Amino acid sequence: MNRLQSVLFTGLFAALAVALMSAGLSNALDCYVCSSSESYQDTSCVDNSGALKVLNCSKKYCVTVRKELRRNSSKVVSFSRGCEDVPEMLYGNIPDENFRTYYTSCQKDLCNGHNGRIKNSTSGTGAIHNAIVPGKNAGHIVLFWPYSLLLATLLPLFNK
């Protein structure tokens, strides 16, 4: 292997390493995080997701759980936003005699910024979209393929 081939191989290896590390980082999910109960005077957890802390989460889903009174649905008893690997429920609600608890989960950055009753916002902007995103984004595969193409192009140089 001559010096030029050695330099090209080293550069290619470094680019491949950066691509693989970037792919690992791309799996992180930004989610709003907070919790609130009816005794809290600050209602920003329920009403103002833009004022909330954002967590770069290594889990698979952003989630919301909203518990409200059945007889007075405007009375939120508890509310939480966060991230989980396995949500208690992907989307739905569970009523009992006194309460109704809504569960939502999604897999886009900042998709849990809604009021907790709607289906998931998949745009990351808080806009309403009626969709449940079924799986994790395969962005790491997309990041990797250009480097595979580069490797396939340069490989014949090393076989001379």
Side-chain angles (χ1 to χ4, degrees), residues 79-109:
F79 194 94
S80 66
R81 302 176 194 274
C83 54
E84 298 176 5
D85 274 328
V86 181
E88 190 170 334
M89 181 184 287
L90 287 176
Y91 177 78
N93 69 75
I94 299 175
D96 65 22
E97 190 175 313
N98 298 310
F99 304 104
R100 181 177 304 274
T101 306
Y102 292 88
Y103 298 89
T104 62
S105 59
C106 50
Q107 294 182 299
K108 298 283 183 181
D109 286 338

Side-chain angles (χ1 to χ4, degrees), residues 33-149:
V33 293
C34 68
S35 63
S36 178
S37 71
E38 63 184 331
S39 63
Y40 289 177
Q41 291 183 3
D42 180 7
T43 61
S44 60
C45 185
V46 179
D47 301 329
N48 187 6
S49 62
L52 300 176
K53 178 181 175 186
V54 174
L55 178 67
N56 187 261
C57 191
S58 61
K59 305 208 184 247
K60 294 179 183 176
Y61 294 91
C62 293
V63 297
T64 61
V65 179
R66 176 189 178 111
K67 186 175 190 175
E68 60 188 36
L69 292 175
R70 281 192 73 180
R71 293 191 178 132
N72 180 2
S73 63
S74 65
K75 180 69 172 172
V76 178
V77 176
S78 66
F79 194 94
S80 66
R81 302 176 194 274
C83 54
E84 298 176 5
D85 274 328
V86 181
E88 190 170 334
M89 181 184 287
L90 287 176
Y91 177 78
N93 69 75
I94 299 175
D96 65 22
E97 190 175 313
N98 298 310
F99 304 104
R100 181 177 304 274
T101 306
Y102 292 88
Y103 298 89
T104 62
S105 59
C106 50
Q107 294 182 299
K108 298 283 183 181
D109 286 338
L110 304 179
C111 60
N112 65 337
H114 51 75
N115 69 8
R117 284 190 194 157
I118 64 167
K119 288 195 177 184
N120 301 316
S121 164
T122 57
S123 69
T125 63
I128 298 172
H129 295 278
N130 290 329
I132 295 175
V133 180
K136 190 79 175 148
N137 166 339
H140 58 282
I141 295 169
V142 174
L143 287 173
F144 182 72
W145 81 264
Y147 296 102
S148 300
L149 184 61

